[in-house]
Amino acid sequence: HALYSPVFPCSFNFTDDNEKNREIQGYTRRGHVSLAIAALTFDFSIMEEFVPIANGMTVVLATSDEIMNPVMLADIMLKNRVDIMSCTPSYLLNMLEMSAYTDKFDKALKNLKSVDMGAEAFPPALFDKLREVNPDIYIMNGYGPTEATISCTMQIIEDPDNIPIGIPNVNVPV
């Protein structure tokens, strides 16, 4: 009782790897090394850091310079065998566009097994670019306000013409 915090129950529910928590299984069942690029003050950092740590995975923390430079980010991803990434769609689209003159970032994306997007609308053009680079990538689209501890719904994206915010995550009432 002395350690009660309204955040911890939500965070535990979110990080729990069980068959009804498809978003977390998109992390835990598909890869081993998560890239962390979100500031600790952004709720997305729970996805990048706490989900992997709570489930025995490795977390690679990118520096602010690496986060802003697709070549440097690709270097750290390749060096550490990053196979899972979460970010906003606009961030990934921007990194792809900035790296158009080098194939290094594409090489890093080819190693990804899973990518989890959120915090904003997922543009169909990003789906096409991701699948062009990595046809087998598992693409998740999460949605949820910060107060819900990152996301409360998730959808696996398989069609650029159908990008819903998804179905409720485990223990999320409709």
Side-chain angles (χ1 to χ4, degrees):
H1 301 285
L3 295 176
Y4 175 77
S5 167
V7 175
F8 290 134
C10 295
S11 297
F12 176 75
N13 179 67
F14 187 77
T15 62
D16 186 30
D17 176 10
N18 72 64
E19 70 278 353
K20 294 181 181 175
N21 208 348
R22 297 179 329 138
E23 188 166 15
I24 301 314
Q25 287 191 337
Y27 257 71
T28 61
R29 306 288 168 98
R30 298 195 174 274
H32 305 286
V33 182
S34 173
L35 179 66
I37 59 173
L40 288 174
T41 55
F42 186 28
D43 64 349
F44 230 56
S45 68
I46 292 173
M47 173 69 80
E48 297 176 328
E49 296 169 31
F50 292 103
V51 169
I53 290 170
N55 291 286
M57 300 166 66
T58 301
V59 177
V60 175
L61 299 170
T63 66
S64 57
D65 288 339
E66 291 163 339
I67 292 166
M68 302 308 286
N69 182 318
V71 173
M72 291 175 71
L73 190 64
D75 283 340
I76 190 174
M77 290 172 72
L78 291 166
K79 177 183 173 189
N80 293 283
R81 297 186 176 131
V82 168
D83 53 11
I84 299 172
M85 180 178 187
S86 57
C87 61
T88 62
S90 61
Y91 174 81
L92 192 52
L93 193 57
N94 192 28
M95 293 302 269
L96 283 163
E97 289 171 359
M98 286 176 24
S99 65
Y101 303 105
T102 176
D103 65 347
K104 192 170 241 184
F105 193 69
D106 286 359
K107 287 179 184 175
L109 287 181
K110 285 179 186 176
N111 290 338
L112 292 181
K113 307 269 190 269
S114 179
V115 64
D116 195 358
M117 305 288 177
E120 59 191 37
F122 188 107
L126 178 57
F127 176 90
D128 295 333
K129 287 180 187 270
L130 284 171
R131 285 291 168 93
E132 182 180 318
V133 173
N134 185 342
D136 298 321
I137 195 166
Y138 186 79
I139 303 169
M140 297 180 284
N141 186 40
Y143 169 79
T146 299
E147 296 80 11
T149 310
I150 305 113
S151 70
C152 50
T153 66
M154 190 279 290
Q155 182 67 42
I156 299 161
I157 304 301
E158 299 174 317
D159 177 1
D161 296 323
N162 183 22
I163 304 179
I165 61 171
I167 61 172
N169 290 337
V170 67
N171 292 327
V172 175
V174 185

